[in-house]
Amino acid sequence: MQFTGTSDYVATEDLTIAVNAAIALERPLLVKGEPGTGKTELARQVASALGLRMIEWNVKSTTKAQQGLYEYDAVSRLRDSQLGDERVRDVRNYIKKGKLWEAFEADEKVVLLIDEIDKADIEFPNDLLQELDRMEFFVYETGETIRARHRPIVIITSNNEKELPDAFLRRCFFHYISFPDAQTMERIVRVHFPDIKPTLLRAALTRFYELRETPGLKKKPSTSEALDWLKLLMADDLDAEDLRAEPGAALPRLHGALLKNEQDVHLFERLAFMARRPRA
């Protein structure tokens, strides 16, 4: 079972090696990188390339590890017992299966995505150590042990917003998705926009990387934002001359697709103003 990328996703050699190493080791693949560098999409493409179903667990700041296993609704059971409902005789009627349970009981191998694990409380990863390592967990309400029928391919993403526990890291195969260089970015763009004008693509990427490298930028634009920007440039039928006509430090055309906070917009406005000032 080897992942080599897909026609819709440009996977670098080091990324494909990481995915296949995690599969061979049967360990979770922990993928870090800037937001918008394709970490979540990687899981979808791995599932697509290997012909597997994907189960997605989107982690939020309020998410608890137990929710990935199951949730027991004791309040509803108490209410139903007061109403004389026959459902109370079977506790299973009040257990909601989580994403890990769903992945473990699947009749076939699946890809399990635990997305943005760093959003949750710091104890969240530690609370999943044994379950992900042993591929089983105990249901106290029913007295049964749920074991994985087929060990899922687990892909965990993190935006690096907080450090993850060492004990958790030891159980993962780690890969950091570096921001793509211009050559790789061009390949990515051509996957999404095969009909883009070559001159527009080169001029836009030159402008994009100039913007990313501007000192003092609070939030550098990501790959997904670059694709949004190029889509708008193509929709307006702009060409390379439209981009080159701008002063080097001025705000780029349709900059709202690239700059996402007022500090960065003001930074470029100041740079543009300074560029226009006559020299003494």
Side-chain angles (χ1 to χ4, degrees):
M1 186 172 284
Q2 291 284 310
F3 174 68
T4 57
T6 70
S7 59
D8 298 324
Y9 187 87
V10 176
T12 57
E13 183 179 3
D14 59 342
L15 179 56
T16 58
I17 289 173
V19 171
N20 292 320
I23 293 174
L25 291 171
E26 294 188 327
R27 288 188 176 275
L29 173 62
L30 174 61
V31 185
K32 288 187 178 183
E34 292 181 32
T37 50
K39 300 184 296 297
T40 301
E41 186 61 25
L42 170 65
R44 299 190 179 108
Q45 295 301 324
V46 168
S48 175
L50 302 180
L52 304 177
R53 178 166 66 94
M54 192 181 86
I55 296 173
E56 188 169 349
W57 185 13
N58 296 301
V59 177
K60 301 178 182 178
S61 60
T62 56
T63 303
K64 302 299 180 184
Q66 180 64 33
Q67 293 172 305
L69 308 179
Y70 68 93
E71 293 180 89
Y72 170 54
D73 191 352
V75 175
S76 291
R77 192 182 187 198
L78 175 61
R79 183 190 62 237
D80 288 349
S81 67
Q82 293 171 339
L83 296 174
D85 195 320
E86 290 296 319
R87 296 175 71 247
V88 300
R89 296 180 180 276
D90 188 351
V91 69
R92 290 178 177 81
N93 290 325
Y94 302 92
I95 290 178
K96 179 183 178 182
K97 297 177 181 179
K99 297 297 183 180
L100 265 72
W101 191 330
E102 184 181 345
F104 285 5
E105 73 172 2
D107 291 328
E108 74 285 351
K109 196 177 191 69
V110 300
V111 173
L112 172 63
L113 169 64
I114 304 177
D115 201 23
E116 299 188 333
I117 194 172
D118 53 326
K119 278 187 176 180
D121 184 83
I122 189 63
E123 291 303 320
F124 181 93
N126 278 336
D127 291 342
L128 290 177
L129 284 179
Q130 297 301 322
E131 290 76 10
L132 291 176
D133 199 26
R134 298 180 181 178
M135 286 288 146
E136 66 178 37
F137 62 89
F138 186 72
V139 183
Y140 294 94
E141 289 76 10
T142 63
E144 61 183 326
T145 299
I146 306 299
R147 295 184 177 89
R149 298 177 183 175
H150 304 275
R151 193 177 188 97
I153 297 173
V154 182
I155 297 179
I156 304 170
T157 72
S158 168
N159 288 328
N160 226 7
E161 293 182 2
K162 64 168 68 83
E163 290 296 323
L164 299 175
D166 289 344
F168 180 79
L169 295 174
R170 284 197 299 271
R171 288 166 168 81
C172 298
F173 189 93
F174 172 77
H175 181 75
Y176 184 86
I177 297 183
S178 301
F179 194 83
D181 57 24
Q183 184 177 5
T184 304
M185 181 67 84
E186 184 172 337
R187 291 170 56 202
I188 293 171
V189 171
R190 291 190 182 280
V191 165
H192 292 268
F193 309 119
D195 298 326
I196 191 171
K197 302 172 187 175
T199 54
L200 173 62
L201 175 57
R202 286 192 292 271
L205 290 185
T206 298
R207 191 75 180 92
F208 174 76
Y209 280 97
E210 286 176 352
L211 187 148
R212 267 188 63 89
E213 294 165 8
T214 301
L217 201 63
K218 183 177 181 181
K219 182 194 176 301
K220 295 182 178 182
S222 67
T223 304
S224 62
E225 289 160 341
L227 294 173
D228 287 344
W229 184 52
L230 284 164
K231 184 176 182 179
L232 292 174
L233 296 179
M234 293 174 66
D236 283 1
D237 198 25
L238 300 179
D239 53 32
E241 286 69 28
D242 294 314
L243 299 181
R244 294 194 187 106
E246 301 175 8
L251 282 166
R253 291 284 188 95
L254 300 164
H255 64 269
L258 299 174
L259 303 176
K260 298 302 176 71
N261 61 67
E262 63 275 14
Q263 294 97 318
D264 288 342
V265 172
H266 292 160
L267 170 64
F268 276 86
E269 288 174 342
R270 288 196 301 273
L271 292 173
F273 174 74
M274 293 172 65
R276 291 193 297 268
R277 288 178 61 183
R279 295 185 178 181

